[in-house]
Amino acid sequence: MAVDSPLSSPLGPPACEKDAKALQFIEEMTRNAESVQQRVLAEILSRNAQTEYLTRFQLNGATDRETFKSKLPVITYEDLQPEIHRIANGDRSAILSAHPISEFLTSSGTSAGERKLMPTIKEELDRRQLLYSLLMPVMNLYVAGLDKGKGLYFLFVKSEIRTPGGLLARPVLTSYYKSDHFKTRPYDPYNVYTSPNEAILCPDSFQSMYTQMLCGLLDRHQVLRLGAVFASGLLRAIRFLQLNWRQLAHDMETGSLNSKITDPSLRECIVKTLKPNPELAQFVRHECSKDDWEGIIVRIWPNTKYLDVIVTGAMAQYIPTLDYYSGGLPLACTMYASSECYFGLNLNLMCKPSEVSYTIMPNMAYFEFLPHEPNLDSTGFDFTHELPPKLVDLVDVEVGKEYELVITTYAGLCRYRVGDILRVTGFHNSAPQFHFIRRKNVLLSIDSDKTDEAEQQTAVENASHLLREHNASVVEYTSHADTKTIPGHYVVYWELLVKDSTNSPDNDTLEQCCLAMEESLNSVYRQGRVADNSIGPLEIRVVKNGTFEELMDYAISRGASINQYKVPRCVSFTPIMELLDSRVVSAHFSPALPHWSPERSQ
């Protein structure tokens, strides 16, 4: 029941006193966005005044915006790599941050094929936890009674390494799940999970998924919301159920746990709660043995009110499949975050996925925005000038315009280009709201992988070397992220020039070409293939000669200039897909997993 409190927020009546304080905090931060931003910048510059990085640009202790903007350049990860490597190799001096770097957060973006290392400090965990604490108070405005059940969330830890200097390097969510903020979190009736910590923290992806699914089935009537970080992750869970429901049903019927669950603490935890339940086992068999899995989520978890998954950006390609499996349940995108920084939250949680906008919380970092012109070059600016481009402050962005996000963080990133392209959709009080458009320069993405055009070009070139013994070459190519399969996979269309028809490349050669492409792609892609099982084998589809000329003719018929036409390196438009697929003469899949190791190659 809503609480009539003097702290009640314009966002709506809070569900409880704790929610009222959270909603009031959102109101205060967004109402005073400009003064909060000035305070945040002054705090960052003041505390880091003696760092090597700020000293280099001779701020001389200045904390005002004008000096900051006139003296500090706008940078990318590559600009910071020398400092990152020094910290990773054990240099503990105040290089970027006055506070000790506690660990590196590994970004899903890459540099030279390796995950980027983002320095962080301990207090950032508090800042991230603060944003998490705001999510359910906002959700409770839209969905009642979430304190009467549980959430079935498929959450996983990923591999971590230590740098030569001894610092941990791991994904931001792995860092959070392994922290006391998560492991010893206080009981909150609005935030109870079906999965025990032991299942979430198990490093073996099969054991973790199996026990999380088992617990979700055992609590099926208690489940009020299903979620994963990305839409692709929730679909992998459904696919896992398709492949493993027989064993899961056996465990429920007999009260005995699958022998593949060997992690001692996990096994002990699950065995304590697992009791014979023949009725539930029979129900699971009845539902999962049907050929038609439409609406399977609401059939098995009938009280589910919504799905909590990211379906913006590249994840939007999964929306039709999620709708199919869920019977059209609402899709809630709750927050916007990255390894570099947590940014903000969605205040309109029941909107359509295509209308999702995130309100930037001005206390998280200092935010600037680089105007983005899609028709200019990749940056929209000439960075050869000595002065940096004129960036726009948080409260000064304009509705309808697109920007690239630039951040200055407490952990020492200064005027750092995140690479996200955002469009301003409106304001909540004086804080802008943004629709996530895309990652800059990303061509293909299935899960958290991000493959750009240069990487794809290199991969095609490396693979085409295998065609030489057949006196053949790749004339033209394009690609597509195929999400009809679970997990999704890359499809690359090749048109070949074969000079000797009696020596055409055979299936084995083309399969090896698939593997060679995968070996050439970045470490995030290869981890998805090898360790996370989040990406399927790459596929090459060979098309008839002349196919790409037909593609050009089609583009020109739709108004493209013949002088400016370039073969698109990634396609998703249905008529183009249909044209390409109608010209396929053979399809070939990678026959093995590419090489991947948690250890960095550098």
Short mmCIF file of all heavy atoms in Angstrom, two decimals, residues 241-293:
data_model
loop_
_atom_site.label_atom_id
_atom_site.label_comp_id
_atom_site.label_asym_id
_atom_site.label_seq_id
_atom_site.Cartn_x
_atom_site.Cartn_y
_atom_site.Cartn_z
N LEU A 241 16.98 -24.46 -20.52
CA LEU A 241 15.84 -25.26 -20.05
C LEU A 241 15.40 -26.25 -21.12
O LEU A 241 15.09 -27.41 -20.81
CB LEU A 241 14.68 -24.34 -19.66
CG LEU A 241 13.42 -25.01 -19.12
CD1 LEU A 241 13.72 -25.81 -17.86
CD2 LEU A 241 12.33 -23.96 -18.85
N GLN A 242 15.40 -25.80 -22.37
CA GLN A 242 15.04 -26.72 -23.47
C GLN A 242 15.96 -27.93 -23.52
O GLN A 242 15.52 -29.05 -23.80
CB GLN A 242 15.10 -25.98 -24.81
CG GLN A 242 13.95 -25.02 -25.04
CD GLN A 242 14.04 -24.34 -26.40
OE1 GLN A 242 15.12 -23.94 -26.82
NE2 GLN A 242 12.92 -24.21 -27.08
N LEU A 243 17.23 -27.72 -23.22
CA LEU A 243 18.21 -28.80 -23.33
C LEU A 243 18.31 -29.66 -22.08
O LEU A 243 18.78 -30.80 -22.15
CB LEU A 243 19.60 -28.20 -23.62
CG LEU A 243 19.76 -27.47 -24.95
CD1 LEU A 243 21.13 -26.81 -25.03
CD2 LEU A 243 19.58 -28.44 -26.12
N ASN A 244 17.87 -29.15 -20.92
CA ASN A 244 18.14 -29.83 -19.66
C ASN A 244 16.91 -30.12 -18.81
O ASN A 244 17.05 -30.54 -17.66
CB ASN A 244 19.14 -29.00 -18.84
CG ASN A 244 20.50 -28.91 -19.48
OD1 ASN A 244 21.31 -29.84 -19.40
ND2 ASN A 244 20.77 -27.80 -20.15
N TRP A 245 15.70 -29.92 -19.34
CA TRP A 245 14.51 -30.10 -18.50
C TRP A 245 14.33 -31.54 -18.01
O TRP A 245 13.79 -31.76 -16.92
CB TRP A 245 13.26 -29.60 -19.21
CG TRP A 245 12.88 -30.29 -20.50
CD1 TRP A 245 13.17 -29.87 -21.76
CD2 TRP A 245 12.12 -31.49 -20.65
NE1 TRP A 245 12.66 -30.73 -22.69
CE2 TRP A 245 11.99 -31.74 -22.04
CE3 TRP A 245 11.52 -32.39 -19.77
CZ2 TRP A 245 11.31 -32.85 -22.55
CZ3 TRP A 245 10.84 -33.48 -20.26
CH2 TRP A 245 10.74 -33.71 -21.64
N ARG A 246 14.78 -32.49 -18.77
CA ARG A 246 14.61 -33.89 -18.34
C ARG A 246 15.40 -34.16 -17.06
O ARG A 246 14.88 -34.77 -16.11
CB ARG A 246 15.04 -34.85 -19.45
CG ARG A 246 14.13 -34.81 -20.68
CD ARG A 246 14.65 -35.68 -21.82
NE ARG A 246 13.80 -35.62 -22.99
CZ ARG A 246 13.83 -34.65 -23.90
NH1 ARG A 246 14.70 -33.64 -23.76
NH2 ARG A 246 13.01 -34.66 -24.94
N GLN A 247 16.65 -33.73 -17.03
CA GLN A 247 17.47 -33.94 -15.83
C GLN A 247 16.94 -33.11 -14.66
O GLN A 247 16.93 -33.57 -13.52
CB GLN A 247 18.92 -33.59 -16.12
CG GLN A 247 19.87 -33.80 -14.95
CD GLN A 247 19.96 -35.26 -14.51
OE1 GLN A 247 20.15 -36.15 -15.33
NE2 GLN A 247 19.82 -35.50 -13.21
N LEU A 248 16.51 -31.89 -14.95
CA LEU A 248 15.94 -31.05 -13.90
C LEU A 248 14.70 -31.70 -13.29
O LEU A 248 14.53 -31.71 -12.06
CB LEU A 248 15.60 -29.66 -14.46
CG LEU A 248 16.80 -28.74 -14.76
CD1 LEU A 248 16.41 -27.65 -15.75
CD2 LEU A 248 17.35 -28.11 -13.47
N ALA A 249 13.85 -32.24 -14.15
CA ALA A 249 12.64 -32.93 -13.66
C ALA A 249 13.01 -34.15 -12.82
O ALA A 249 12.37 -34.43 -11.80
CB ALA A 249 11.75 -33.32 -14.84
N HIS A 250 14.02 -34.86 -13.25
CA HIS A 250 14.48 -36.02 -12.47
C HIS A 250 14.93 -35.60 -11.08
O HIS A 250 14.60 -36.25 -10.07
CB HIS A 250 15.63 -36.72 -13.21
CG HIS A 250 16.25 -37.85 -12.44
ND1 HIS A 250 17.33 -37.67 -11.59
CD2 HIS A 250 15.92 -39.17 -12.36
CE1 HIS A 250 17.64 -38.82 -11.02
NE2 HIS A 250 16.81 -39.76 -11.50
N ASP A 251 15.68 -34.52 -11.00
CA ASP A 251 16.14 -34.03 -9.70
C ASP A 251 14.96 -33.67 -8.81
O ASP A 251 14.96 -33.95 -7.60
CB ASP A 251 17.04 -32.81 -9.87
CG ASP A 251 18.39 -33.16 -10.50
OD1 ASP A 251 18.57 -34.32 -10.90
OD2 ASP A 251 19.25 -32.27 -10.58
N MET A 252 13.94 -33.01 -9.38
CA MET A 252 12.78 -32.61 -8.59
C MET A 252 11.96 -33.83 -8.14
O MET A 252 11.45 -33.86 -7.03
CB MET A 252 11.92 -31.65 -9.41
CG MET A 252 12.55 -30.27 -9.59
SD MET A 252 11.52 -29.14 -10.54
CE MET A 252 12.03 -29.57 -12.20
N GLU A 253 11.87 -34.79 -9.01
CA GLU A 253 11.08 -35.98 -8.68
C GLU A 253 11.74 -36.80 -7.56
O GLU A 253 11.07 -37.27 -6.64
CB GLU A 253 10.90 -36.86 -9.92
CG GLU A 253 10.04 -38.08 -9.68
CD GLU A 253 9.73 -38.80 -10.99
OE1 GLU A 253 10.69 -39.25 -11.64
OE2 GLU A 253 8.54 -38.87 -11.34
N THR A 254 13.06 -36.96 -7.63
CA THR A 254 13.76 -37.84 -6.70
C THR A 254 14.32 -37.10 -5.48
O THR A 254 14.66 -37.74 -4.47
CB THR A 254 14.93 -38.53 -7.42
OG1 THR A 254 15.87 -37.53 -7.88
CG2 THR A 254 14.43 -39.35 -8.60
N GLY A 255 14.43 -35.76 -5.60
CA GLY A 255 15.05 -35.01 -4.50
C GLY A 255 16.55 -35.17 -4.45
O GLY A 255 17.18 -34.87 -3.44
N SER A 256 17.13 -35.65 -5.55
CA SER A 256 18.59 -35.82 -5.62
C SER A 256 19.15 -34.87 -6.67
O SER A 256 18.49 -34.60 -7.67
CB SER A 256 18.95 -37.26 -5.98
OG SER A 256 18.39 -37.61 -7.25
N LEU A 257 20.37 -34.38 -6.43
CA LEU A 257 20.94 -33.35 -7.30
C LEU A 257 21.86 -33.97 -8.35
O LEU A 257 22.65 -34.87 -8.05
CB LEU A 257 21.72 -32.34 -6.45
CG LEU A 257 22.33 -31.14 -7.18
CD1 LEU A 257 21.26 -30.31 -7.90
CD2 LEU A 257 23.10 -30.24 -6.20
N ASN A 258 21.74 -33.47 -9.56
CA ASN A 258 22.57 -33.87 -10.70
C ASN A 258 24.04 -34.01 -10.27
O ASN A 258 24.62 -33.10 -9.65
CB ASN A 258 22.44 -32.77 -11.78
CG ASN A 258 23.11 -33.12 -13.07
OD1 ASN A 258 23.97 -33.98 -13.14
ND2 ASN A 258 22.71 -32.42 -14.14
N SER A 259 24.65 -35.12 -10.62
CA SER A 259 26.05 -35.38 -10.22
C SER A 259 27.03 -34.41 -10.86
O SER A 259 28.18 -34.31 -10.43
CB SER A 259 26.44 -36.82 -10.57
OG SER A 259 26.33 -37.03 -11.98
N LYS A 260 26.60 -33.68 -11.91
CA LYS A 260 27.48 -32.69 -12.54
C LYS A 260 27.68 -31.46 -11.66
O LYS A 260 28.56 -30.64 -11.93
CB LYS A 260 26.93 -32.26 -13.90
CG LYS A 260 26.97 -33.37 -14.96
CD LYS A 260 26.42 -32.85 -16.28
CE LYS A 260 26.46 -33.92 -17.37
NZ LYS A 260 25.87 -33.43 -18.64
N ILE A 261 26.86 -31.32 -10.63
CA ILE A 261 27.02 -30.19 -9.70
C ILE A 261 28.03 -30.62 -8.65
O ILE A 261 27.71 -31.30 -7.67
CB ILE A 261 25.68 -29.79 -9.05
CG1 ILE A 261 24.61 -29.59 -10.13
CG2 ILE A 261 25.86 -28.53 -8.21
CD1 ILE A 261 24.97 -28.62 -11.23
N THR A 262 29.29 -30.24 -8.86
CA THR A 262 30.40 -30.72 -8.04
C THR A 262 30.97 -29.66 -7.12
O THR A 262 31.75 -29.98 -6.23
CB THR A 262 31.53 -31.26 -8.94
OG1 THR A 262 31.94 -30.21 -9.84
CG2 THR A 262 31.05 -32.46 -9.75
N ASP A 263 30.62 -28.38 -7.33
CA ASP A 263 31.11 -27.33 -6.45
C ASP A 263 30.62 -27.60 -5.03
O ASP A 263 29.41 -27.66 -4.79
CB ASP A 263 30.60 -25.97 -6.94
CG ASP A 263 31.12 -24.81 -6.13
OD1 ASP A 263 30.68 -24.66 -4.96
OD2 ASP A 263 31.95 -24.04 -6.63
N PRO A 264 31.53 -27.81 -4.06
CA PRO A 264 31.11 -28.28 -2.72
C PRO A 264 30.11 -27.37 -2.02
O PRO A 264 29.08 -27.84 -1.52
CB PRO A 264 32.44 -28.35 -1.95
CG PRO A 264 33.50 -28.46 -2.99
CD PRO A 264 33.00 -27.69 -4.16
N SER A 265 30.40 -26.06 -1.98
CA SER A 265 29.49 -25.15 -1.26
C SER A 265 28.15 -25.05 -1.97
O SER A 265 27.09 -24.95 -1.33
CB SER A 265 30.13 -23.77 -1.11
OG SER A 265 30.37 -23.17 -2.38
N LEU A 266 28.17 -25.07 -3.30
CA LEU A 266 26.92 -25.00 -4.07
C LEU A 266 26.10 -26.26 -3.85
O LEU A 266 24.89 -26.20 -3.61
CB LEU A 266 27.24 -24.80 -5.55
CG LEU A 266 26.05 -24.78 -6.50
CD1 LEU A 266 25.02 -23.73 -6.10
CD2 LEU A 266 26.51 -24.53 -7.94
N ARG A 267 26.76 -27.41 -3.94
CA ARG A 267 26.04 -28.67 -3.77
C ARG A 267 25.40 -28.75 -2.37
O ARG A 267 24.25 -29.13 -2.23
CB ARG A 267 27.00 -29.85 -4.00
CG ARG A 267 26.27 -31.18 -4.05
CD ARG A 267 27.11 -32.34 -4.56
NE ARG A 267 26.23 -33.48 -4.71
CZ ARG A 267 25.53 -33.76 -5.78
NH1 ARG A 267 25.63 -32.99 -6.86
NH2 ARG A 267 24.73 -34.81 -5.82
N GLU A 268 26.19 -28.38 -1.36
CA GLU A 268 25.66 -28.42 0.01
C GLU A 268 24.45 -27.51 0.16
O GLU A 268 23.45 -27.87 0.79
CB GLU A 268 26.77 -28.00 0.98
CG GLU A 268 26.33 -28.01 2.44
CD GLU A 268 27.42 -27.48 3.37
OE1 GLU A 268 28.51 -27.12 2.86
OE2 GLU A 268 27.17 -27.42 4.58
N CYS A 269 24.52 -26.32 -0.43
CA CYS A 269 23.43 -25.36 -0.34
C CYS A 269 22.15 -25.88 -0.98
O CYS A 269 21.06 -25.80 -0.40
CB CYS A 269 23.87 -24.05 -1.00
SG CYS A 269 22.57 -22.85 -1.26
N ILE A 270 22.26 -26.47 -2.18
CA ILE A 270 21.08 -26.93 -2.91
C ILE A 270 20.50 -28.19 -2.28
O ILE A 270 19.27 -28.33 -2.14
CB ILE A 270 21.41 -27.18 -4.40
CG1 ILE A 270 21.95 -25.90 -5.05
CG2 ILE A 270 20.18 -27.68 -5.15
CD1 ILE A 270 20.99 -24.73 -5.05
N VAL A 271 21.35 -29.11 -1.88
CA VAL A 271 20.87 -30.38 -1.30
C VAL A 271 20.02 -30.12 -0.06
O VAL A 271 19.05 -30.84 0.21
CB VAL A 271 22.07 -31.30 -0.98
CG1 VAL A 271 21.65 -32.45 -0.07
CG2 VAL A 271 22.66 -31.85 -2.28
N LYS A 272 20.35 -29.07 0.70
CA LYS A 272 19.59 -28.75 1.91
C LYS A 272 18.13 -28.44 1.62
O LYS A 272 17.25 -28.71 2.43
CB LYS A 272 20.22 -27.54 2.62
CG LYS A 272 21.46 -27.85 3.43
CD LYS A 272 21.98 -26.58 4.09
CE LYS A 272 23.26 -26.84 4.86
NZ LYS A 272 23.82 -25.58 5.42
N THR A 273 17.88 -27.84 0.45
CA THR A 273 16.51 -27.38 0.14
C THR A 273 15.78 -28.30 -0.83
O THR A 273 14.57 -28.16 -1.00
CB THR A 273 16.56 -25.96 -0.46
OG1 THR A 273 17.35 -26.00 -1.67
CG2 THR A 273 17.19 -24.98 0.50
N LEU A 274 16.48 -29.21 -1.47
CA LEU A 274 15.88 -30.04 -2.51
C LEU A 274 15.17 -31.25 -1.88
O LEU A 274 15.81 -32.08 -1.24
CB LEU A 274 16.95 -30.50 -3.50
CG LEU A 274 16.48 -31.29 -4.73
CD1 LEU A 274 15.49 -30.48 -5.55
CD2 LEU A 274 17.68 -31.69 -5.58
N LYS A 275 13.86 -31.31 -2.07
CA LYS A 275 13.06 -32.42 -1.55
C LYS A 275 12.28 -33.03 -2.72
O LYS A 275 11.97 -32.34 -3.69
CB LYS A 275 12.07 -31.93 -0.49
CG LYS A 275 12.71 -31.23 0.70
CD LYS A 275 13.46 -32.20 1.59
CE LYS A 275 13.97 -31.54 2.86
NZ LYS A 275 15.07 -30.60 2.61
N PRO A 276 11.94 -34.34 -2.64
CA PRO A 276 11.17 -34.96 -3.73
C PRO A 276 9.85 -34.22 -3.96
O PRO A 276 9.12 -33.93 -3.01
CB PRO A 276 10.93 -36.38 -3.22
CG PRO A 276 12.04 -36.63 -2.24
CD PRO A 276 12.30 -35.32 -1.59
N ASN A 277 9.58 -33.91 -5.24
CA ASN A 277 8.34 -33.22 -5.59
C ASN A 277 7.85 -33.77 -6.93
O ASN A 277 8.02 -33.12 -7.98
CB ASN A 277 8.58 -31.71 -5.68
CG ASN A 277 7.29 -30.91 -5.79
OD1 ASN A 277 6.27 -31.42 -6.25
ND2 ASN A 277 7.34 -29.64 -5.40
N PRO A 278 7.27 -34.98 -6.92
CA PRO A 278 6.84 -35.62 -8.17
C PRO A 278 5.83 -34.79 -8.95
O PRO A 278 5.83 -34.79 -10.19
CB PRO A 278 6.22 -36.94 -7.70
CG PRO A 278 6.82 -37.19 -6.35
CD PRO A 278 7.03 -35.84 -5.75
N GLU A 279 4.98 -34.05 -8.25
CA GLU A 279 3.96 -33.25 -8.93
C GLU A 279 4.60 -32.14 -9.76
O GLU A 279 4.22 -31.92 -10.92
CB GLU A 279 3.01 -32.65 -7.88
CG GLU A 279 1.86 -31.86 -8.50
CD GLU A 279 0.94 -31.27 -7.44
OE1 GLU A 279 1.07 -31.63 -6.26
OE2 GLU A 279 0.10 -30.42 -7.81
N LEU A 280 5.59 -31.45 -9.19
CA LEU A 280 6.29 -30.40 -9.93
C LEU A 280 7.06 -31.00 -11.10
O LEU A 280 7.07 -30.44 -12.21
CB LEU A 280 7.24 -29.65 -9.00
CG LEU A 280 8.10 -28.55 -9.65
CD1 LEU A 280 7.25 -27.49 -10.33
CD2 LEU A 280 9.04 -27.91 -8.62
N ALA A 281 7.70 -32.14 -10.87
CA ALA A 281 8.45 -32.80 -11.95
C ALA A 281 7.53 -33.14 -13.12
O ALA A 281 7.89 -32.93 -14.29
CB ALA A 281 9.13 -34.05 -11.42
N GLN A 282 6.34 -33.65 -12.80
CA GLN A 282 5.39 -34.01 -13.86
C GLN A 282 4.93 -32.77 -14.62
O GLN A 282 4.78 -32.79 -15.84
CB GLN A 282 4.19 -34.75 -13.25
CG GLN A 282 3.14 -35.18 -14.26
CD GLN A 282 3.71 -36.06 -15.38
OE1 GLN A 282 4.64 -36.83 -15.14
NE2 GLN A 282 3.19 -35.92 -16.59
N PHE A 283 4.72 -31.67 -13.88
CA PHE A 283 4.31 -30.43 -14.53
C PHE A 283 5.38 -29.94 -15.51
O PHE A 283 5.08 -29.56 -16.65
CB PHE A 283 4.04 -29.34 -13.48
CG PHE A 283 3.87 -27.97 -14.06
CD1 PHE A 283 2.67 -27.59 -14.64
CD2 PHE A 283 4.93 -27.06 -14.08
CE1 PHE A 283 2.52 -26.33 -15.21
CE2 PHE A 283 4.79 -25.80 -14.64
CZ PHE A 283 3.57 -25.44 -15.20
N VAL A 284 6.65 -29.96 -15.07
CA VAL A 284 7.75 -29.51 -15.93
C VAL A 284 7.84 -30.39 -17.17
O VAL A 284 8.02 -29.89 -18.29
CB VAL A 284 9.08 -29.48 -15.15
CG1 VAL A 284 10.26 -29.26 -16.09
CG2 VAL A 284 9.04 -28.39 -14.08
N ARG A 285 7.73 -31.69 -16.98
CA ARG A 285 7.76 -32.60 -18.14
C ARG A 285 6.62 -32.30 -19.11
O ARG A 285 6.81 -32.29 -20.33
CB ARG A 285 7.68 -34.05 -17.67
CG ARG A 285 8.93 -34.56 -16.95
CD ARG A 285 8.84 -36.06 -16.72
NE ARG A 285 10.02 -36.54 -16.00
CZ ARG A 285 10.02 -36.92 -14.72
NH1 ARG A 285 8.88 -36.90 -14.03
NH2 ARG A 285 11.13 -37.35 -14.14
N HIS A 286 5.45 -32.06 -18.57
CA HIS A 286 4.27 -31.81 -19.42
C HIS A 286 4.45 -30.56 -20.26
O HIS A 286 4.17 -30.55 -21.46
CB HIS A 286 3.02 -31.69 -18.53
CG HIS A 286 1.77 -31.42 -19.30
ND1 HIS A 286 1.24 -30.14 -19.42
CD2 HIS A 286 0.95 -32.23 -20.01
CE1 HIS A 286 0.15 -30.19 -20.17
NE2 HIS A 286 -0.05 -31.45 -20.54
N GLU A 287 4.94 -29.48 -19.63
CA GLU A 287 5.08 -28.22 -20.35
C GLU A 287 6.27 -28.22 -21.31
O GLU A 287 6.17 -27.74 -22.44
CB GLU A 287 5.24 -27.06 -19.35
CG GLU A 287 3.97 -26.73 -18.59
CD GLU A 287 2.82 -26.29 -19.49
OE1 GLU A 287 3.09 -25.71 -20.57
OE2 GLU A 287 1.66 -26.54 -19.13
N CYS A 288 7.38 -28.79 -20.88
CA CYS A 288 8.61 -28.70 -21.67
C CYS A 288 8.67 -29.72 -22.80
O CYS A 288 9.46 -29.56 -23.74
CB CYS A 288 9.84 -28.85 -20.77
SG CYS A 288 10.03 -27.49 -19.59
N SER A 289 7.85 -30.75 -22.74
CA SER A 289 7.86 -31.75 -23.81
C SER A 289 7.01 -31.33 -25.00
O SER A 289 7.03 -31.97 -26.05
CB SER A 289 7.36 -33.10 -23.27
OG SER A 289 6.03 -32.98 -22.80
N LYS A 290 6.27 -30.24 -24.86
CA LYS A 290 5.46 -29.74 -25.97
C LYS A 290 6.37 -29.15 -27.06
O LYS A 290 7.40 -28.55 -26.76
CB LYS A 290 4.48 -28.67 -25.48
CG LYS A 290 3.42 -29.19 -24.51
CD LYS A 290 2.54 -28.04 -24.01
CE LYS A 290 1.49 -28.55 -23.03
NZ LYS A 290 0.68 -27.44 -22.48
N ASP A 291 5.95 -29.32 -28.30
CA ASP A 291 6.72 -28.76 -29.40
C ASP A 291 6.67 -27.24 -29.40
O ASP A 291 7.63 -26.57 -29.79
CB ASP A 291 6.19 -29.29 -30.75
CG ASP A 291 6.49 -30.76 -30.94
OD1 ASP A 291 7.46 -31.25 -30.31
OD2 ASP A 291 5.76 -31.44 -31.69
N ASP A 292 5.54 -26.69 -28.97
CA ASP A 292 5.34 -25.24 -29.01
C ASP A 292 5.76 -24.63 -27.67
O ASP A 292 5.15 -24.92 -26.64
CB ASP A 292 3.86 -24.94 -29.29
CG ASP A 292 3.61 -23.45 -29.45
OD1 ASP A 292 4.59 -22.67 -29.43
OD2 ASP A 292 2.43 -23.07 -29.59
N TRP A 293 6.79 -23.80 -27.71
CA TRP A 293 7.26 -23.14 -26.49
C TRP A 293 6.78 -21.69 -26.39
O TRP A 293 7.28 -20.93 -25.58
CB TRP A 293 8.79 -23.22 -26.41
CG TRP A 293 9.24 -24.48 -25.74
CD1 TRP A 293 8.83 -25.75 -26.02
CD2 TRP A 293 10.15 -24.59 -24.65
NE1 TRP A 293 9.44 -26.65 -25.18
CE2 TRP A 293 10.27 -25.97 -24.33
CE3 TRP A 293 10.91 -23.68 -23.91
CZ2 TRP A 293 11.09 -26.43 -23.31
CZ3 TRP A 293 11.73 -24.14 -22.90
CH2 TRP A 293 11.81 -25.50 -22.61
#
